[in-house]
Amino acid sequence: MSQRQPSKVFSSLPELEYRASELHLEGVSLSRLAALQGTPLYVYSQGAMLRALAGYRNPLVRRKHLVCYAVKANSTLAVLQVLAREGCGFDIVSVGELERVLTAGGLPSNVVFAGVGKRRDEVERAIEVGIKCFNVESEGELMVLSEIAANLRKRAPVSLRLNPEVSPNTHRYISTGGKENKFGVPLATAAGLYRLAARLPAIDVVGINFHIGSQITEVAPYLRALDCTLQLLDVLEAEGLRISHIDVGGGWGIRHLDEPLSEPRHLLSAILDRLDARGYGDRELVIEPGRSLVGNAGVLVTQILSLKPTEGKNFCIVDAGMNDLVRPAMYNAYMHIVECVKPLDCLASRRNWDVVGPVCESGDWLGLDRSLMPVAGEHLVILSAGAYGMSMASNYNTRPRPAEIMVNSTNAILIRRRETIDDLLKNEMLLTSPSALSSPLGRG
Ligand SMILES: *Cc1c(COP(=O)(O)O)cnc(C)c1O
C-alpha cells in the first residue's frame, strides 16, 4: 500500500492525517512538535474549534442567541481567546474562570455564572464587572446575592437553574439533572422562588436555565427538560413575570471513534421547533457547550517509555499519566489511541496492549486492550483530548503539567509552557525557612 496519499484517521477531526506515514495536525507534524517541546504535549487545532463553534451558530443565525462556551472544559487562555474573538460568550463556575475570560478578551456582558457554591468575593467581582447572568441554584444563594448586590448599590441579573428531574443516559458522575444530585432548584419550589426573586429590590429576573449532564447523545432528555421549563414559564408569565432568555445548558456529546452521533444542529433544530410550538420562539436562546466545542479539536502526544509484554497482559508504558489526562481513570472513558508514526510491520508486531502511565496507581491507564504496533521511544497520540484533559490535569506524583500548542494552517504556537519542578515547589516553605511565621497561622 502506498503511503504517499494523506490518509485521515478520524472523521470528527479531518485536520488530523498521516502524510508519508507521519501524523500531522493542520499540516504540522506531531512528532516534530514532540521533538521540539517534549512530551506529554497537548496540541489543539484552531480550525477544528472554529468549525465546532460554527456548528452551533449557523443554525441560530436568524435567532436571538448566545453560545456560552463552558470554560471548565478547557480554560487555557488561548483557547478562550480563539472563541472570544468570534464573539462567543462564556459559562463560568468560579472567579478564576471569570478572570481567565476577561484576560482572554471575553466580554463580561456575555458571561453566565453557574455553580452550586459561589463565594461572596466571587459574586462581588462578577457584579462589579457586569456579567450577563447569575445562574442561581438555591434560595440561600439568591438571598446572599440580593444582599451583596444591595450593599454594592447594584442589581444582580438572575436565572434560576431548574432541576428538571431528567436523567440522561450517561456516566453517573456527569449526570446533573436527576432528583438525587446536588444541582438546581426542584420543580416543586421553583415558582415560589421566582416570585421571591421578583420581589427582591436588587435582583433582576432575566432567565431560566437547566443543565442535565455531559456526554449526552440523545435529543429526548433535552426536550423533556425543556418541556418542564416551559410549563413553569407558562405559569410565571401568566402572573406577569417576563423571562427574556432560556438557557438549555450544555452537555452534547462527542464521537470518540466512529460511533453514530448526530450533530449539534439536530439538537438545536429540535429545541427551536419546540420553542416555536410553545410560543417562546422570540426569546433569546442560550446554550452552554463545553466538550462539543473543544473535545475533538485536541490530542495528547505521549512518548512510549518501554514495552512490557507479560503472560497475562502486554503493557505499553507511556510518559502521560492520569494526572495529565484523568478521563479514562475517572470516567472509564474510551479515548482512541494511534501511532504517531506508522511503524513498519517488520519492526513491531500488532497485538493488544494496555496503554498505561507512570503514576503509582493501578487505575493509571489511558487505553485497555488496544491493537497497536508500539515501538519504544516513538510516540502515541490520544484523540479527543481537547476537553476535560488539561483543565483537569494535576500535579499528582509531583509531575509537572504538560505544555500546550495551538496549530492553525500557518503556525504552531506555544500557548502554555511546560511546568517545571521549580514551578511546583515555589509556593512551599520548609519549616526552617526564614519566611516562616513567628506564630501558628499568623495569629496573636
Ligand atoms: C459542565 C457544564 C457545561 C458544559 O458541559 P459539556 O458537557 O462540556 O458540554 C455547561 N453548563 C454547566 C452549568 C456545566 O456545569
Side-chain angles (χ1 to χ4, degrees), residues 56 68-73 91-93 112-115 135 137 161 174 176 183 209-216 222 247-253 287-294 387-388:
Y56 275 93
C68 288
Y69 166 64
V71 173
K72 71 179 190 290
D91 165 48
I92 60 163
V93 292
V112 299
F113 192 169
N135 290 349
E137 304 221 5
R161 174 172 177 173
I174 52 179
T176 55
F183 296 102
N209 70 290
F210 61 82
H211 170 71
I212 52 178
S214 201
Q215 188 55 28
I216 302 169
Y222 285 91
D247 177 347
V248 297
W252 193 246
I287 189 158
E288 305 169 349
R291 188 192 310 272
S292 53
L293 286 186
V294 296
Y388 304 105

Side-chain angles (χ1 to χ4, degrees), residues 3 16 43 115 241 263 342 435:
Q3 303 254 324
L16 186 70
V43 187
L241 209 76
E263 301 292 323
K342 272 194 177 159
S435 62

Side-chain angles (χ1 to χ4, degrees), residues 312-330:
K313 282 266 184 194
N314 301 310
F315 293 105
C316 171
I317 301 158
V318 298
D319 69 354
M322 62 189 287
N323 72 295
D324 304 301
L325 180 63
V326 79
R327 297 189 56 246
M330 187 155 155

Side-chain angles (χ1 to χ4, degrees), residues 152-419:
L152 293 173
R153 309 212 181 303
K154 295 257 172 86
R155 304 177 66 79
V158 158
S159 165
L160 293 190
R161 174 172 177 173
L162 302 184
N163 184 334
E165 293 167 21
V166 165
S167 289
N169 260 327
T170 186
H171 193 281
R172 176 164 78 81
Y173 288 2
I174 52 179
S175 169
T176 55
K179 211 179 194 151
E180 65 294 338
N181 69 52
K182 68 182 177 184
F183 296 102
V185 177
L187 281 177
T189 53
L193 203 51
Y194 263 108
R195 291 178 195 120
L196 171 63
R199 286 197 305 272
L200 292 171
I203 296 290
D204 285 329
V205 174
V206 296
I208 192 160
N209 70 290
F210 61 82
H211 170 71
I212 52 178
S214 201
Q215 188 55 28
I216 302 169
T217 55
E218 294 160 21
V219 172
Y222 285 91
L223 293 183
R224 286 204 296 279
L226 185 59
D227 284 339
C228 292
T229 305
L230 298 182
Q231 255 170 38
L232 178 64
L233 268 192
D234 288 343
V235 172
L236 296 172
E237 300 225 336
E239 295 174 16
L241 209 76
R242 167 87 188 178
I243 305 282
S244 61
H245 77 248
I246 299 172
D247 177 347
V248 297
W252 193 246
I254 57 170
R255 217 179 256 127
H256 289 96
L257 191 53
D258 43 17
E259 67 273 31
L261 174 66
S262 31
E263 301 292 323
R265 68 189 150 88
H266 294 115
L267 171 67
L268 287 169
S269 79
I271 289 172
L272 292 174
D273 285 350
R274 189 61 57 100
L275 289 175
D276 289 343
R278 296 287 304 272
Y280 291 101
D282 59 338
R283 305 310 159 87
E284 182 183 23
L285 177 66
V286 177
I287 189 158
E288 305 169 349
R291 188 192 310 272
S292 53
L293 286 186
V294 296
N296 280 332
V299 300
L300 178 62
V301 184
T302 182
Q303 188 174 36
I304 301 169
L305 298 177
S306 61
L307 299 174
K308 189 173 161 185
T310 71
E311 247 174 55
K313 282 266 184 194
N314 301 310
F315 293 105
C316 171
I317 301 158
V318 298
D319 69 354
M322 62 189 287
N323 72 295
D324 304 301
L325 180 63
V326 79
R327 297 189 56 246
M330 187 155 155
Y331 305 115
N332 203 25
Y334 177 89
M335 306 191 70
H336 197 56
I337 303 177
V338 295
E339 297 92 353
C340 197
V341 177
K342 272 194 177 159
L344 295 170
D345 282 309
C346 56
L347 287 183
S349 60
R350 179 171 293 281
R351 45 177 139 167
N352 280 7
W353 297 86
D354 280 5
V355 179
V356 300
V359 172
C360 300
E361 300 263 349
S362 298
D364 181 32
W365 55 272
L366 298 167
L368 302 177
D369 276 321
R370 301 302 175 84
S371 169
L372 290 165
M373 287 192 281
V375 176
E378 294 289 333
H379 297 97
L380 294 179
V381 175
I382 300 155
L383 307 189
S384 308
Y388 304 105
M390 188 62 183
S391 64
M392 293 182 87
S394 78
N395 296 121
Y396 188 41
N397 280 210
T398 305
R399 289 167 49 83
R401 288 177 301 162
E404 294 174 290
I405 287 177
M406 181 77 72
V407 295
N408 58 42
S409 45
T410 48
N411 286 308
I413 305 159
L414 182 68
I415 58 173
R416 186 198 300 254
R417 66 170 176 75
R418 185 175 305 285
E419 263 176 345

